[in-house]
Amino acid sequence: MLPSQFLLLSVQLMLWFVVLSVDQVEVDSGAESVQLPCKTTVHLPEDIKVVWEDRKGKVHVYQNGSDQPGEQYRYYRGRTEMKINLLEPGDLSLTLKYPTDWDSNTYTCTVYKSEEDILMKKQVELKVKDYQVEVEEGEESVQLPFRTTPDLPEDTTVMWVCSDRTVHLYWNRSDQPEEQHRDYKNRTEMKKDLLKTGDLSLTLKHPKETDTGRYRCRVFNKDVWREKTVELKVKGQYEDTEQRSVCLSVIGCSSLIGCLS
Ligand SMILES: *[C@@H]1O[C@H](CO)[C@@H](O)[C@H](O)[C@H]1NC(C)=O
Ligand SMILES: *[C@@H]1O[C@H](CO)[C@@H](O)[C@H](O)[C@H]1NC(C)=O
Ligand SMILES: *[C@@H]1O[C@H](CO)[C@@H](O)[C@H](O)[C@H]1NC(C)=O
């Protein structure tokens, strides 16, 4: 390659970098909140519209001088906050409460002067780290933590699943033990007043090596939707042979039949 070609290429690469440069934010699953930065160095006019979106839809909308919660989709309902102070140079950063691995995403902040007139566009890439819990077989119990916003609607369903098994179901304002997989019978417990406190953590008693797996908590009613994954690893009391650990990491909580024999 000629030096001039090389120079041209590096200038092109530099330009690409400037254009595509996005803020990266990383946070632990379990943090109370995370801030997605979006700032301008100039004062903004009063009648701006600000739209935060991910690739599925609107995360937060600010228009006519106030938040427009009706426009955001239910996954983010009740979890976002924008502190707008137009007297300062614009800080349009978004606070996202109780982030989980399901929030890992690219977010776009767009500032409109009018429908067609975009003043600014900015991207933020959020990575929420997976939550991992490790425990030894023989312990009394293990907790799979999940905290979200308090005062969830009364008709919210909370469901912990692992692969295709129902680990615990809370529905119609009470636990539904007859719905859970027999392997988890009498072994799970959720907090009292879980919808009021937003503490949806699951206690699993007498964890066994075969409980190892990816546990998902789904929370929903017609207006709300939340999800979180917790990876549980239960270490056996016996020495791990290679085959056993391969089996467990592949199959986890779904079924071990034919794997350990
Ligand atoms: C904003 O205000 C304008 C004019 O006052 C009105 O026509 C429009 O419907 C309002 N939009 C929202 C989302 O409130
Ligand atoms: C919900 O629970 C109440 C009692 O707590 C019961 O009367 C009602 O039938 C339940 N609803 C359904 C759809 O099962
Ligand atoms: C769960 O507990 C109930 C009541 O204590 C008992 O009758 C039932 O056999 C237990 N089920 C299992 C699978 O241990």
Side-chain angles (χ1 to χ4, degrees):
M1 194 188 279
L2 293 171
S4 61
Q5 282 176 318
F6 181 74
L7 189 66
L8 185 64
L9 184 67
S10 25
V11 168
Q12 279 172 338
L13 281 176
M14 240 163 69
L15 281 175
W16 267 111
F17 181 75
V18 170
V19 172
L20 292 178
S21 138
V22 287
D23 271 325
Q24 314 250 345
V25 176
E26 192 166 310
V27 69
D28 283 323
S29 177
E32 284 222 352
S33 69
V34 61
Q35 214 178 59
L36 309 179
C38 179
K39 291 181 181 169
T40 66
T41 50
V42 295
H43 290 260
L44 293 166
E46 255 176 53
D47 54 351
I48 53 159
K49 174 179 176 183
V50 184
V51 179
W52 275 96
E53 338 172 59
D54 68 8
R55 65 183 106 77
K56 293 190 292 278
K58 287 176 180 156
V59 174
H60 192 100
V61 178
Y62 174 92
Q63 193 178 9
N64 282 1
S66 62
D67 295 323
Q68 306 290 335
E71 293 209 30
Q72 64 187 157
Y73 74 108
R74 63 180 178 149
Y75 189 61
Y76 293 101
R77 196 118 1 125
R79 290 205 299 139
T80 58
E81 208 171 86
M82 234 174 95
K83 289 198 195 78
I84 290 205
N85 182 356
L86 295 169
L87 299 176
E88 306 274 326
D91 184 354
L92 311 171
S93 304
L94 186 76
T95 301
L96 182 59
K97 294 179 201 165
Y98 300 105
T100 74
D101 53 301
W102 285 75
D103 296 323
S104 291
N105 216 330
T106 301
Y107 295 83
T108 309
C109 166
T110 312
V111 184
Y112 297 87
K113 192 160 182 281
S114 64
E115 280 307 320
E116 297 91 41
D117 197 357
I118 293 178
L119 287 175
M120 183 180 102
K121 206 171 182 119
K122 211 172 162 157
Q123 284 196 324
V124 182
E125 209 174 283
L126 173 65
K127 168 132 182 55
V128 184
K129 284 185 254 173
D130 285 350
Y131 207 101
Q132 295 178 334
V133 176
E134 204 171 298
V135 68
E136 287 191 21
E137 193 170 71
E139 294 284 320
E140 186 128 331
S141 68
V142 61
Q143 199 175 80
L144 311 184
F146 185 12
R147 267 204 98 90
T148 190
T149 51
D151 299 315
L152 291 162
E154 279 222 344
D155 61 347
T156 302
T157 298
V158 183
M159 194 175 186
W160 278 93
V161 298
C162 187
S163 294
D164 53 352
R165 296 179 172 188
T166 301
V167 177
H168 192 102
L169 177 65
Y170 179 91
W171 174 74
N172 190 20
R173 299 168 181 82
S174 56
D175 296 321
Q176 306 286 339
E178 64 281 7
E179 299 296 330
Q180 72 186 150
H181 189 274
R182 61 187 141 75
D183 221 33
Y184 295 101
K185 282 262 185 308
N186 295 350
R187 291 209 294 140
T188 59
E189 211 168 85
M190 293 194 75
K191 303 266 164 74
K192 288 208 167 39
D193 296 326
L194 63 165
L195 299 180
K196 199 153 183 41
T197 61
D199 186 352
L200 311 177
S201 307
L202 181 80
T203 301
L204 180 61
K205 295 179 205 161
H206 313 299
K208 308 173 288 183
E209 191 177 7
T210 50
D211 291 331
T212 295
R214 283 168 69 79
Y215 287 73
R216 291 207 175 113
C217 185
R218 302 201 175 109
V219 183
F220 53 91
N221 87 337
K222 66 178 179 5
D223 301 318
V224 177
W225 171 35
R226 311 265 152 93
E227 297 213 23
K228 176 176 181 169
T229 313
V230 177
E231 278 191 44
L232 174 65
K233 180 163 170 24
V234 184
K235 287 195 289 184
Q237 291 168 318
Y238 310 102
E239 212 177 312
D240 247 5
T241 66
E242 205 168 306
Q243 195 204 357
R244 269 165 74 84
S245 44
V246 167
C247 276
L248 281 170
S249 61
V250 170
I251 293 176
C253 56
S254 57
S255 166
L256 284 166
I257 296 163
C259 202
L260 295 182
S261 56

